[in-house]
Amino acid sequence: MAVVKAREQDIDLLARLLRAEAEGEGQQGMLMVGNVGINRVRGNCSDFIGIRTIPEMIYQPHAFEAVQKGYFYQRPREVERRLARRAVRGERIWPSKFALWYFRPPGDCPATWYNQPLVGRFKLHCFYEPTAEECENIYNTF
C-alpha cells in the first residue's frame, strides 16, 4: 500500500532522482533519498507546504541539485525503480526515517541545517529532521 499516490511515471521520476542524488551511497543511500522525498510530500510543513505529489517535490525550485544535471535525465534502471517503490510504500530507515533534509558537506555534519537538528550521517550525507511539533504529518503512522 502506497503512503503517497504514485503513477508509474512518478516511480520512474523518483527512481531517477535516487540515482542522480545518491548512486555513490549504494542502495541504502538511494532509499534514504527516497525517504526524504516521501517525507516532503507527506509533511505539508516547513518549506514543503502545498507539495502533494512526487513531481511537485522533485521539481520544487532549489530542492534538488540533481535536476540541473544531465545524469538525472537518463532512464531509470530496475534497481532504482524497486527502491522508489519501497520508499513510496513507506519503507523508512534511520537516519532518514523522519528527515526533511539531507546534505553532503565537505567535512563534518553541521549541527543544524535549515533550522533542523542533525539526526545522523550515512556515508557522505547528513540527515536533518524536524520535531513532531514542526511537522506532525511525517511522524504519523501510515
Side-chain angles (χ1 to χ4, degrees):
M1 178 90 186
V3 298
V4 298
K5 291 181 181 179
R7 304 163 298 169
E8 268 315 296
Q9 59 260 43
D10 297 333
I11 295 295
D12 283 356
L13 186 61
L14 182 58
R16 291 176 18 216
L17 180 73
L18 303 185
R19 181 177 62 201
E21 286 280 322
E23 182 176 37
E25 307 283 294
Q27 290 187 28
Q28 188 170 342
M30 288 190 285
L31 180 59
M32 289 181 184
V33 167
N35 290 167
V36 169
I38 297 305
N39 287 342
R40 289 178 178 188
V41 174
R42 292 187 73 238
N44 201 30
C45 62
S46 184
D47 291 346
F48 312 106
I49 293 173
I51 302 295
R52 307 309 308 144
T53 68
I54 290 171
E56 288 173 349
M57 174 267 295
I58 290 173
Y59 291 117
Q60 181 184 24
H62 313 293
F64 297 102
E65 189 176 308
V67 300
Q68 300 170 17
K69 313 273 188 218
Y71 194 54
F72 171 77
Y73 293 93
Q74 294 179 6
R75 288 180 43 187
R77 297 174 292 206
E78 191 52 40
V79 65
E80 291 109 20
R81 285 185 183 109
R82 282 193 302 270
L83 292 167
R85 285 185 189 98
R86 287 169 59 187
V88 166
R89 285 193 307 262
E91 182 178 336
R92 299 191 288 185
I93 54 177
W94 184 90
S96 61
K97 188 172 185 175
F98 302 114
L100 286 176
W101 301 96
Y102 60 88
F103 172 57
R104 182 180 175 176
D108 292 337
C109 296
T112 60
W113 189 251
Y114 287 91
N115 297 318
Q116 295 177 1
L118 172 70
V119 69
R121 182 176 198 141
F122 179 77
K123 295 188 179 183
L124 299 175
H125 284 96
C126 307
F127 292 86
Y128 299 84
E129 69 181 45
T131 65
E133 292 79 33
E134 291 175 285
C135 196
E136 180 181 353
N137 289 341
I138 62 170
Y139 292 93
N140 292 338
T141 19
F142 304 130

